[in-house]
Amino acid sequence: MLGMVGLGAVGIVVGARAQKSIAPVSSGISGILPGVGGFRYYSVVSSVKRIAPADYELEIDGLVKRPAKISYAELTSVLPQTHMVRNFQCVDGWRVENVAWSGVALPDLLDHVGVLPAAKALRISSFDGAYTDSLTLSQARRRDVIVATSMLGAPVTHDHGGPVRLYVAPMYGYKSVKWLSRIELVSAVEAGYWEKRGYEIDGWIGTGVHHHGGI
Ligand SMILES: Nc1nc2c(c(=O)[nH]1)N[C@H]1C(S)=C(S)[C@@H](COP(=O)(O)O)O[C@H]1N2
Ligand SMILES: [Mo]
């Protein structure tokens, strides 16, 4: 059964997400809570520590020339900023239109650290301690994939994965890792949290080939 995930709200958790929580993982607790502007708040763990922007670091390592720990200040005021207004869509059937996003385009971050030729994919982790996902290197080089520090016109809130989350505009929401902590360049794509539980590894929206377990 579902936990209330410590996201600062009370309510009844029902529906499709409840199916997901029955995934064969004892540690998996899925939260679904009504959120801002049509968003829901999702977490697979019962609570996530808070990291203040001043204490935040994004680790980028693995098959890169210059492994780095990138501060929030670098992400917001040193590295080039990318802005876009795009929809956000979860496989569970909800969608939020025209969301404003800002941050650093992932290709700009990759150039900052220098990708080695052996790198073929990114392993992306959350400081929630449980959630991971992958992108191929070519997916990660798209300019509509950003390390987001702002969402809905304001700094990314804790419940939405702040201070820093990923936003993969052309793919379903599960590719947009919240509470982003580490990007490791690796030699092959690895299935992420939901992909081990039946989601497509490539989460392209609208290609009509998606299916996932439990629903
Ligand atoms: N760390 C983490 N990232 C995550 C998830 C999660 O449970 N944990 N859920 C994913 C899914 S399925 C969706 S639809 C979006 C939801 O983002 P939101 O909680 O800001 O609405 O986050 C994605 N990133
Ligand atoms: Mo989702």
Side-chain angles (χ1 to χ4, degrees):
M1 197 41 217
L2 302 189
M4 274 299 107
V5 304
L7 293 176
V10 283
I12 299 299
V13 174
V14 292
R17 209 65 182 184
Q19 296 292 322
K20 285 183 179 176
S21 76
I22 301 168
V25 183
S26 55
S27 64
I29 297 172
S30 288
I32 177 175
L33 297 167
V36 188
F39 272 93
R40 294 167 186 201
Y41 299 127
Y42 280 176
S43 179
V44 298
V45 297
S46 56
S47 76
V48 179
K49 69 178 170 186
R50 285 171 188 267
I51 298 186
D55 300 326
Y56 180 82
E57 276 183 339
L58 171 60
E59 188 167 17
I60 308 188
D61 63 353
L63 299 169
V64 298
K65 292 176 192 151
R66 298 174 294 277
K69 288 184 176 168
I70 300 179
S71 70
Y72 187 81
E74 287 175 276
L75 287 174
T76 50
S77 46
V78 177
L79 290 161
Q81 299 295 298
T82 291
H83 311 278
M84 67 184 90
V85 175
R86 296 288 300 271
N87 299 342
F88 190 88
Q89 187 164 335
C90 172
V91 288
D92 286 350
W94 54 272
R95 178 159 74 130
V96 186
E97 298 192 347
N98 301 319
V99 180
W101 302 89
S102 303
V104 181
L106 195 45
D108 293 337
L109 265 181
L110 293 176
D111 289 345
H112 182 70
V113 295
V115 175
L116 291 171
K120 299 288 179 256
L122 283 67
R123 184 178 191 279
I124 300 157
S125 323
S126 169
F127 62 79
D128 70 5
Y131 204 87
T132 61
D133 196 47
S134 288
L135 292 171
T136 66
L137 186 56
S138 65
Q139 291 165 357
R141 292 233 187 254
R142 292 177 59 111
R143 297 214 54 87
D144 56 359
V145 178
I146 70 171
V147 170
T149 53
S150 167
M151 169 184 173
L152 296 162
V156 180
T157 62
H158 176 75
D159 291 351
H160 280 305
V164 178
R165 77 177 296 169
L166 194 68
Y167 174 55
V168 182
M171 296 192 183
Y172 285 110
Y174 68 89
K175 304 298 289 190
S176 292
V177 175
K178 295 165 61 166
W179 306 294
L180 182 64
S181 61
R182 182 178 177 199
I183 297 173
E184 187 185 4
L185 277 287
V186 293
S187 58
V189 162
E190 184 186 299
Y193 183 91
W194 282 122
E195 292 144 8
K196 287 178 184 154
R197 294 160 178 80
Y199 283 29
E200 300 291 326
I201 287 206
D202 292 331
W204 302 111
I205 293 171
T207 56
V209 296
H210 304 286
H211 56 82
H212 51 90
I215 297 178

